[in-house]
Each structure stands twice: as C-alpha cells, then as structure tokens.
Amino acid sequence: MPRTPGQRAGLSHDAVLTAARTVFAERGLEGLSMRAVAKDLGVAPNALYSHVADKEALVDALLDDVLGALDPPDPDAEPLDGLRGVMLATFDLLGRHPDLVPLYLARQGARGTHAQVLGAAMTVLLARLGIDEDTSGRVVRALIVSTLGFAALATADDPALTPAHLRADLEATLDWLLLGAARV
Amino acid sequence: MPRTPGQRAGLSHDAVLTAARTVFAERGLEGLSMRAVAKDLGVAPNALYSHVADKEALVDALLDDVLGALDPPDPDAEPLDGLRGVMLATFDLLGRHPDLVPLYLARQGARGTHAQVLGAAMTVLLARLGIDEDTSGRVVRALIVSTLGFAALATADDPALTPAHLRADLEATLDWLLLGAARV
DNA sequence: TCGACGAATTGTACAGCGTCCAGTAAGCTG
DNA sequence: CAGCTTACTGGACGCTGTACAATTCGTCGA
C-alpha cells in the first residue's frame, strides 16, 4: 500500500525495532537492510530515519533487545552459581542467534538498558564474592569476553568442537576466572 | 596512467596484498575497498579479481599477513613462558592494529599459513605441559579467544581500562587457563 | 472553527560498494 | 607465424546507507 507523502503509517521506534527483528529472523544479518525493514513496514526506506538515528543505532537496539530474553541473576543466589548461570544462559542464547555473535564481539557486549541491568546484577554478585568495585568492572568484561569468544567458536561448525563441549569448556573457564579474581 | 585494454600492469597476489596493506595503513579498515586498492595500484577495480577471489579472501590474506610479524615460540622454551609469550605478543600486535581486532574475532583467529605455524608451535608446548592431543586444540582456541577478547577491550578507550592493566589481566587469565587445563 | 505549526512520510537522488560481463591486447608456446 | 592463455579494460548491474526538498497529516492555540 503506497502512501502519498505526509500520510502517517504510525511508525515508532518500537515498531521499527520489531520489524528489524522480523527481517533478521527471516533473512539473517545479511538480509537486514534499511530497505528490507522499511518494506516489511510498507514504508519508504527513509521513513525509518524519523525514528532511528542510524542503521548502527538500529542494530544496537536489536542487540539489546535480544538480550532481553535473559533473566538477570537473583542477587541472593550463591554468587558463583548466579554468575555461571547468566553467562551460560548467554552462551545458549547466542547459540540461537549465531549471526549476532560477531556484532556483540565487535561491541564487546552491548550498551543498552538490558545489558546494563545484567551488568549491575553481576556486579552485586561479584561484590558478595569479595571483589572490590574497582576490579569488578573488568571481571565482568573478562567473563563476557570469554562467553562471547566461546560462543563464536561454537558458531564455527567444526565437528570436533561441539557446542556441548565448548559449553563445558566455558564453564571451566568461568570458574577459573572467578576463583582467580576472588582470591587476589 | 590509464592503460589500454590488455596491457599488463604486472600485478600479482603479493602486489595486491601489499597494496591492501598500504591502503589499510593509510585509511583504516573503513577505507579498505577494492576500488581503493585498485587505485593504489593504478589499475581498474576488477583487475584485482585476476589475483584474488574475493574481498573476503583478500582480507583473510591481510589478516594472516599481519600475523607474520609474530615469532613462533621456541619449542624448547619453558612451556608456560613460551605460551604466555606468544599470546602477550599477539595482544601487543593487535594493540597496534585495533581495526583488525573485530575481524580476527569474527573469524576466531585466522586460518592462513602464519596462523597454522603459530598453532603448531603452541601445540608442541602444550604437549610438553602434559596436555593430550585431543584437548590441546581447544586449549589453543581458549587462549586465542581470551587474547582477542582482551585486545578488543583494549581498543575501547575507557580510561579506567588501560591497555597495560588489561595486559596484566590477560596474563593472569592465561595462567589460570593453562594451569587449569594442565591439571585435568 | 479556523489557521498555523511541527512531525511524519514521500519521491528522488547521490555516492559508494562488490562484482560480473564482454572485449582487447600482450605474452608464451608450438 | 598461429593460437591459446592470461591480464587488463570500460561499462554496467544491483545493491547499500542516507541526505534533500516537497507534501500532507494530526494537533493545538486563538
């Protein structure tokens, strides 16, 4: 349904984001172009720019949106279990969205609200592990890096490197990191 | 100097690679287009395709080329020192080429000859650490993942996260990984 | 109720990209 | 000298993200 100029399609940041999610789900990262998103909304490509600054901003939003599927760890949980749990859940989530892994890696995680919530929850648990505020930030990053990295390995379908194996390796790595960081 | 069709410019895979390196050094990853490389060689863009399959293949070659600056560890060195040494040297190297870090991450390292040489040397050292052939492959990957990951963190110029600090963190992480893997 | 205003959306366009195609000229091999 | 192979050209295709100006709508103040 082409629209004559000025007519409203009722777009919004959320609508654009939803469309982006749809397009991404159907055509993957490669098929995720501004034109494709616009087409999905039945709208001219540039209309998107009223609601989204950039393609990069849109992708950022998409990345954080995906992170919304993650439950932040219970602050009262056993810290080690809680931290291991989030990171493994992240690993599993990324396994369902392999295309996104390089993007997260390039951004070293994400910076949206969901990411911040997760980060804050992790910091609480780290504090309960006796890790001071100064170092907890970098421990969080180290955990994320390892998780993303192992997720990246899991996307390469090397038959000798099954996701299950890598998941176990990640688990061991996380424990080493956490115990090491807590001890210092 | 435009050339009439058929005249030879004397290109070669190496020449293209060298030009790519130049363009990358001067204009960064963003400026590294086939057209730019061709222009640097005084040649039509498509001429490159006689020597290089793809842009991706060219970038792959460039990535491995950069790795050529790395000395493989001495097989007779103390294994832990040797392994730590290569990975830290890699970290330092990546610090000099921040643009490339996401690319290495996306490819989980690299697959060219230089990368293979390094990998083989690392496997030897791991064997001397008592790590069997089956697991050494994945330990190598874990080391690479951590190194690339910390290098990625170092590219984000967060003043609270200096490269020097991250380098130290990486060193600790590597030791945890190696000791943990050797113990099992 | 009317007029003005700002926000939303359009068509058009630009510059750039990677890469394919058909043609041509040079060099090598017989 | 003939013929084949290789290297390169101009041109084009289809795609990308995005800027511009023009248009029309919903809304709000008078």
Side-chain angles (χ1 to χ4, degrees), chain A residues 3 10-11 21 36 61 71 74 85 92 110 117 127 131 141 147 151 160 164 168 172:
Chain A
R3 215 167 290 98
L11 290 194
R21 196 165 40 199
D71 290 322
D74 177 4
D92 295 337
V117 169
I131 293 173
R141 290 182 211 248
T147 304

Side-chain angles (χ1 to χ4, degrees), chain B residues 3 7-11 44 46-47 51:
Chain B
R3 214 167 290 96
Q7 271 181 338
R8 315 256 158 145
L11 290 194
N46 355 3
H51 306 279

Side-chain angles (χ1 to χ4, degrees), chain A residues 3 7-10 44 46 50-51:
Chain A
R3 215 167 290 98
Q7 274 181 336
R8 314 259 158 140
N46 356 5
S50 300
H51 307 278

Side-chain angles (χ1 to χ4, degrees), chain A residues 72-163:
Chain A
D74 177 4
D76 296 325
E78 208 285 306
L80 236 92
D81 287 346
L83 289 164
R84 212 178 12 225
V86 216
M87 296 327 284
L88 289 176
T90 304
F91 178 86
D92 295 337
L93 179 66
L94 293 175
R96 268 170 268 134
H97 301 290
D99 278 9
L100 296 185
V101 176
L103 297 184
Y104 284 114
L105 279 169
R107 282 151 232 249
Q108 300 124 38
R111 291 198 219 294
T113 43
H114 285 132
Q116 281 171 20
V117 169
L118 291 171
M122 291 172 68
T123 305
V124 170
L125 292 182
L126 285 171
R128 296 208 7 249
L129 260 185
I131 293 173
D132 60 278
E133 230 174 325
D134 288 349
T135 48
S136 76
R138 69 190 54 165
V139 174
V140 168
R141 290 182 211 248
L143 295 175
I144 291 173
V145 161
S146 299
T147 304
L148 292 176
F150 277 98
L153 291 189
T155 63
D157 39 23
D158 183 334
L161 237 58
T162 75

